[in-house]
Amino acid sequence: MKSTNSLWYLTLQKFKKNKTGLISLVYIILCGFVALFCYVLAPDNSSSANQMNIEIHSKSPGFSSEFIQVPNQNTSNESSWISTLLYGKKINYTEIPILSYEIQKEHIEVKKYDGTFKSFDLKQFGSSPENYIKKKNFFLGTDKFGRDLWSRILVGTRISFSIGFIAVFISLLIGIPIGALAGYFGGKIDAFIMWMINITWSIPTLLLVIAITLTLGKGFWQVFIAVGLTMWVEVARIVRGQVITVKQQQYIEAAKALGYSNLRIIFKHILPNILAPVIVISAANFAAAILIESGLSFLGIGAQPPTPSWGAIIKNHYNYIILGKPFLALAPGIAIMSLVMAFMLLGNSLRDALDVKS
């Protein structure tokens, strides 16, 4: 069997030997799977996992309780599986935590979690009211609004992954062409672009993101765009430096002698040969985007309620750390730390694997 000695084949073989990189990649893929199917995996698959029951707020991990699901009078059509996958399931009932219940002739009497009693007409439940009594377990307990914390964290994974992909995509879309033009043409074009890069670079990233977010308005997509518009600078600097080095190679001179256009030389001969550092910086930017979004959500200008965001969950519960229930803030904190660390370790592994000198 003929063996190949291409750079990408050798890179893949080196990467396979790096256990840290492989574990990080598997964890990232797992988080991506969770982000895509969060509403399928979450115990609370309502939109934004936002079923509130104040009676059971701030319960410890492993808490369980019985619930009665009272059908609403004006029930809408069931949501499609695509709608459920993207936005969660439409809930056509009111869920009430109970301690016990008793079925009588014409009504069912329940003892609510707060100790009060309430009766419901049996006609609301059809012929089998027992089917509307469910027992729910809360793996990570409940937040201060009585929502399932585990479900909120699972759905929040989608926010972190989405902002990472969109922000990195925007940064590559802007940074690669600008950096390539600056490095290839040089002169006044390079001086102008570097002036613009240095001005943007001198502004603290978080302050720039806040300014852009406040200009565009608070919201889900506004944060994605704002973060992406601040990350192109690093990509442009990396690409510019690599293009300056590569354009001096003999095969670039040969391409110019053959009469190839500048755009063809840049996009077909130079950029494919500088992908390695771009891949590494993209992994680092992915981690940075997650941290920035979490910080914005903590400040209240990121994803808006009831959309679950790891930063917003920490904001709502950080004071519980000194109130004897630190898990409410530590759980999303660990989620942020683990995903950011996975991307940073993956970036380090890719850097080692793509290093031709080794």
Side-chain angles (χ1 to χ4, degrees), residues 22 37 42 55 99 133 318 326:
L22 285 176
F37 297 102
E55 301 94 330
L99 295 174
I133 306 294
Y318 69 92

Side-chain angles (χ1 to χ4, degrees), residues 8-222:
W8 291 109
Y9 176 80
L10 296 174
T11 299
L12 180 60
Q13 296 303 313
K14 288 170 63 178
F15 181 76
K16 286 181 179 179
K17 298 177 181 179
N18 192 320
K19 293 183 179 179
T20 302
L22 285 176
I23 294 174
S24 299
L25 180 61
V26 171
Y27 182 74
I28 291 170
I29 293 174
L30 177 63
C31 289
F33 179 83
V34 171
L36 183 61
F37 297 102
C38 57
Y39 283 113
V40 178
L41 300 172
D44 179 6
N45 60 356
S46 62
S47 179
S48 299
N50 196 42
Q51 291 195 78
M52 297 185 185
N53 293 288
I54 301 298
E55 301 94 330
I56 55 170
H57 71 90
S58 309
K59 295 299 180 182
S60 301
F63 169 75
S64 63
S65 176
E66 284 189 320
F67 290 79
I68 181 170
Q69 298 174 343
V70 183
N72 297 333
Q73 292 182 354
N74 299 321
T75 57
S76 58
N77 295 329
E78 290 290 331
S79 54
S80 64
W81 69 270
I82 297 179
S83 177
T84 301
L85 181 66
L86 295 177
Y87 308 111
K89 189 176 181 181
K90 293 181 180 178
I91 303 300
N92 297 322
Y93 56 82
T94 301
E95 199 172 58
I96 302 173
I98 63 175
L99 295 174
S100 61
Y101 67 94
E102 183 180 353
I103 300 176
Q104 300 178 357
K105 265 191 174 183
E106 297 181 353
H107 65 276
I108 176 173
E109 186 176 61
V110 300
K111 183 179 181 181
K112 297 170 65 177
Y113 200 85
D114 58 6
T116 60
F117 291 87
K118 190 169 184 179
S119 297
F120 299 95
D121 194 334
L122 284 179
K123 294 179 181 179
Q124 293 180 260
F125 305 97
S127 58
S128 52
E130 297 89 349
N131 294 337
Y132 293 84
I133 306 294
K134 307 290 183 181
K135 185 173 183 180
K136 295 177 66 175
N137 298 309
F138 298 87
F139 177 64
L140 288 180
T142 59
D143 66 5
K144 69 177 185 179
F145 298 107
R147 298 174 294 193
D148 183 12
L149 184 60
W150 174 241
S151 299
R152 298 277 294 176
I153 290 178
L154 289 180
V155 178
T157 308
R158 178 174 291 183
I159 302 293
S160 296
F161 242 80
S162 299
I163 195 170
F165 275 114
I166 295 174
V168 168
F169 175 76
I170 293 175
S171 67
L172 294 177
L173 193 65
I174 299 174
I176 290 178
I178 289 179
L181 291 175
Y184 185 80
F185 291 105
K188 293 182 179 179
I189 295 177
D190 183 32
F192 173 75
I193 291 177
M194 285 305 299
W195 173 77
M196 185 170 56
I197 288 175
N198 289 331
I199 289 178
T200 308
W201 192 276
S202 65
I203 304 173
T205 303
L206 189 58
L207 292 181
L208 186 59
V209 172
I210 292 174
I212 296 175
T213 303
L214 294 178
T215 302
L216 298 175
K218 296 180 181 180
F220 189 75
W221 293 103
Q222 290 89 331

Side-chain angles (χ1 to χ4, degrees), residues 264-286:
R264 176 171 178 173
I265 294 174
I266 292 173
F267 289 98
K268 287 193 174 183
H269 299 276
I270 295 180
L271 291 183
N273 288 286
I274 63 171
L275 284 179
V278 174
I279 292 173
V280 175
I281 195 65
S282 296
N285 282 346
F286 207 117

